[in-house]
Amino acid sequence: MCGRYASTSSSKELQSFFDTMQTVGDELPPSYNVAPTQPVRVILERTPNEEPDAEPQRQLRTVKWGLLPAWAKDRKMASKLINARSETVTEKPSFRSSASKRRAIIPANGYYEWMKSEAGSKIPYFLHSEVDILAMAGLYELWPDPELPEDDPNRWVWTCTVLTRPASDATGHIHDRSPLILPESFWEHWLDPNLTDKGEVQAMINSVPEPHLEPYEVSTAVNSPRNNDPKLLEPVRN
């Protein structure tokens, strides 16, 4: 699974890296310990509401981590849908609609995972790549808050989830699941809102190559989402 990650790139850096045309939502400060239900930055492509015949625009947008399907009765479901299994994402009721129509990239500078030691304790590791920014595959959704009137600009709640896959041999000893990380050659097709055939989407997911990630042990301070500073990324010196 992916339950914590680091997102330290500025909006300007993300705009340049992903070549976005529009930025929507609040600027977020660097976070060294992003946790579920918190606001996060995502990359997506949408047709402007005021120009339905225009080409989709790539945008950087602030949403909340934890998917709320349009049919969810309340916000409680979000904490249960922070991840989606890539093997079944086009079939599961909670994800299949957004998998076909609302795919996103969730930028991260790396993510945390916990390995169970022989003594039974859990040791945190930070997994990263030579590339400064990882493009984690995600989905987004718009949820109508039933407690707000239809004309309230805050009625539509934007949320997201991170897709996961079986971990590769290089990182599988730490945890059996890892985020689905998209190489740059996949970005255009992944974000294309005109690609809606679930068979094609699943085929694309299945063709994503395994990433080359490097793990190192970090402090157990990351266990608490209240801790959020650059020291969390420092390797533990054994």
Side-chain angles (χ1 to χ4, degrees):
M1 64 175 295
C2 175
R4 301 282 182 79
Y5 67 93
S7 179
T8 63
S9 302
S10 67
S11 290
K12 186 176 181 179
E13 290 170 327
L14 294 175
Q15 290 162 1
S16 175
F17 192 77
F18 291 103
D19 194 22
T20 60
M21 301 175 63
Q22 184 182 20
T23 300
V24 183
D26 297 332
E27 170 84 20
L28 297 180
S31 178
Y32 304 89
N33 196 5
V34 182
T37 73
Q38 292 180 352
V40 299
R41 293 299 240 174
V42 302
I43 312 298
L44 55 89
E45 291 188 5
R46 286 180 66 85
T47 300
N49 289 335
E50 64 277 9
E51 300 179 62
D53 296 325
E55 289 294 316
Q57 293 184 351
R58 183 173 297 185
Q59 60 181 238
L60 174 66
R61 179 180 282 269
T62 301
V63 306
K64 286 194 174 182
W65 184 13
L67 199 75
L68 278 174
W71 44 263
K73 294 182 179 179
D74 54 44
R75 296 173 184 259
K76 295 179 182 178
M77 182 176 285
S79 62
K80 301 176 182 179
L81 298 180
I82 64 169
N83 291 158
R85 284 180 171 259
S86 60
E87 305 96 309
T88 57
V89 72
T90 58
E91 302 294 339
K92 293 290 185 180
S94 296
F95 306 117
R96 61 191 179 196
S97 178
S98 50
S100 293
K101 304 174 183 177
R102 290 175 291 278
R103 295 178 299 275
I105 289 173
I106 302 173
N109 300 95
Y111 70 97
Y112 299 99
E113 200 53 85
W114 283 257
M115 182 177 73
K116 193 171 184 179
S117 69
E118 293 182 359
S121 60
K122 290 186 176 182
I123 304 171
Y125 282 79
F126 184 69
L127 295 95
H128 65 108
S129 166
E130 293 181 354
V131 179
D132 290 337
I133 301 174
L134 300 177
M136 299 191 297
L139 309 174
Y140 73 95
E141 190 58 270
L142 288 79
W143 178 71
D145 189 338
E147 296 184 359
L148 296 178
E150 291 189 6
D151 59 351
D152 191 312
N154 296 317
R155 182 171 186 259
W156 291 98
V157 181
W158 292 68
T159 61
C160 71
T161 188
V162 177
L163 269 65
T164 66
R165 68 184 302 172
S168 65
D169 291 342
T171 58
H173 67 287
I174 297 175
H175 196 276
D176 62 348
R177 305 288 299 180
S178 66
L180 180 69
I181 297 173
L182 301 171
E184 186 174 355
S185 58
F186 279 73
W187 296 355
E188 181 178 354
H189 295 296
W190 181 255
L191 296 175
D192 184 359
N194 295 314
L195 175 59
T196 59
D197 182 87
K198 68 177 185 180
E200 293 184 24
V201 172
Q202 191 63 59
M204 177 167 49
I205 289 172
N206 296 343
S207 67
V208 175
E210 292 184 355
H212 298 287
L213 301 177
E214 293 292 333
Y216 60 81
E217 184 180 346
V218 293
S219 168
T220 54
V222 75
N223 294 353
S224 172
R226 289 176 294 182
N227 297 324
N228 193 341
D229 61 71
K231 292 182 178 179
L232 296 180
L233 298 182
E234 295 179 1
V236 168
R237 306 297 182 186
N238 294 318

